[in-house]
Amino acid sequence: MPGGKKAGLRNYSVRRSSPRSTRVVRLSDMGQAFLRDCAEVVGRFASLLHEFRTTRWMVPAPATFSRG
């Protein structure tokens, strides 16, 4: 493999002399519902992650059992 890179994992950049053009895409009703659901799940996850990061967990020491 040239340059020691795996096929499909090459990094490259494209230089453009003009600004990128944008394209307007309209989602179907199913696509809009999917996007709303995804946004809701991501929002819930972000909230839960924030809660985990800001909460100090009180974890008790593990119980030890002796035989005998």
Side-chain angles (χ1 to χ4, degrees):
M1 284 171 246
K5 293 186 179 188
K6 295 180 180 178
L9 297 179
R10 294 183 211 129
N11 294 324
Y12 62 91
S13 62
V14 177
R15 287 192 162 182
R16 296 174 187 229
S17 58
S18 62
R20 292 185 180 184
S21 62
T22 58
R23 187 173 149 194
V24 177
V25 178
R26 186 174 182 109
L27 293 175
S28 65
D29 291 340
M30 184 185 297
Q32 289 176 5
F34 180 75
L35 182 60
R36 272 193 308 270
D37 291 347
C38 288
E40 183 180 339
V41 168
V42 169
R44 287 182 181 181
F45 179 75
S47 175
L48 184 61
L49 184 60
H50 176 72
E51 185 178 336
F52 276 123
R53 287 181 173 167
T54 57
T55 303
R56 291 184 178 245
W57 292 90
M58 302 281 297
V59 179
T64 56
F65 299 97
S66 60
R67 296 182 188 196

